[in-house]
């Protein structure tokens, strides 16, 4: 998994120097939706991050077909309401955080505003009392997504639904879904 992530990041950096490439820097915001075991401990949580995307632009205009991206983000995990009441009664912290940084590709449709995405990421999940362990876990994950984009010339706004699966060092896994919106400016 580490090799795949390094390969994706190297591809992004190499692609950046290609003639006709356009860079897009953006702010990402959305909701992290826990699934499986994590949904027993956490509810919908706000997610914020940044994205650097490098798009191939044809000489005839911004007819994007393929892009490479690097994205990082952070979420304060919102504790499940039932668990929060128990933790408050015990006087324990209900803090939890999620951090990810990764690379991926997007394939855009030339006939519509739709795109598909896939990639890999490093994830740090610090679940504190939410997991009952008080420690953090590091792992590597994959994601696939589907979204649509508005604007291509002076700005770019996109919305994406993304399913992610993370395997942690020392065992364990987390599945979650993200609904992301981003606003970017091309350079």
């Amino acid at each position: 998994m580490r090799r795949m992530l390094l390969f994706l990041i190297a591809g992004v950096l190499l692609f950046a120097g290609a003639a006709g490439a356009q860079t897009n820097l953006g702010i990402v915001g959305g909701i992290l939706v826990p699934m499986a075991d994590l949904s027993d401990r956490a509810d919908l949580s706000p997610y914020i991050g940044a994205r650097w995307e490098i798009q191939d632009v044809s000489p005839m205009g911004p007819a994007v077909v393929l892009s490479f991206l690097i994205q990082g983000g952070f979420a304060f995990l919102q504790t499940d309401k039932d668990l929060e009441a128990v933790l408050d009664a015990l006087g324990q912290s209900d803090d939890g955080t999620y951090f990810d940084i990764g690379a991926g590709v997007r394939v855009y449709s030339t006939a519509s505003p739709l795109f598909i995405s896939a990639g890999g990421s490093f994830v740090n999940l610090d679940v504190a009392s939410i997991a009952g362990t008080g420690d953090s876990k590091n792992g590597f994950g994959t994601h696939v997504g589907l979204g649509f984009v508005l604007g291509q010339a002076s700005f770019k706004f996109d919305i994406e639904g993304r399913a992610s699966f993370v395997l942690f060092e020392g065992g364990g896994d987390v599945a979650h879904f993200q609904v992301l919106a981003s606003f970017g400016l091309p350079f």
Side-chain angles (χ1 to χ4, degrees):
M1 185 60 79
R2 291 180 191 183
R3 287 184 183 180
M4 183 179 83
L5 183 60
L6 290 174
F7 175 75
L8 287 172
I9 291 172
V12 168
L13 295 175
L14 289 173
F15 193 69
Q22 179 179 357
T23 298
N24 184 316
L25 298 174
I27 297 172
V28 180
I31 297 174
L32 185 134
V33 182
M35 298 180 347
D37 291 341
L38 188 58
S39 68
D40 295 338
R41 298 178 176 97
D43 282 334
L44 299 177
S45 303
Y47 178 91
I48 189 162
R51 176 182 301 144
W52 175 40
E53 185 173 6
I54 300 159
Q55 306 168 331
D56 183 24
V57 178
S58 74
M60 297 175 60
V64 177
V65 175
L66 178 68
S67 71
F68 295 92
L69 58 96
I70 294 176
Q71 177 175 314
F74 180 83
F76 283 109
L77 295 177
Q78 304 298 307
T79 308
D80 178 75
K81 300 299 178 217
D82 296 332
L83 181 60
E84 186 174 11
V86 171
L87 292 173
D88 286 346
L90 295 173
Q92 294 183 3
S93 170
D94 59 0
D95 295 336
T97 57
Y98 171 94
F99 169 78
D100 68 359
I101 186 164
V105 295
R106 280 187 173 176
V107 178
Y108 290 85
S109 168
T110 56
S112 71
L114 297 177
F115 64 84
I116 58 172
S117 67
S121 60
F122 166 80
V123 174
N124 174 270
L125 182 65
D126 185 354
V127 289
S129 293
I130 294 176
T133 61
D135 60 357
S136 65
K137 295 181 174 185
N138 295 323
F140 288 92
T142 60
H143 69 266
V144 294
L146 176 66
F148 66 93
V149 63
L150 301 172
Q152 284 289 333
S154 59
F155 73 94
K156 181 178 177 186
F157 178 76
D158 65 61
I159 297 178
E160 177 182 13
R162 180 186 288 184
S164 300
F165 184 75
V166 181
L167 292 173
F168 290 107
E169 296 172 4
D173 57 62
V174 168
H176 62 279
F177 187 79
Q178 291 173 304
V179 178
L180 303 172
S182 86
F183 178 79
L185 297 173
F187 294 96

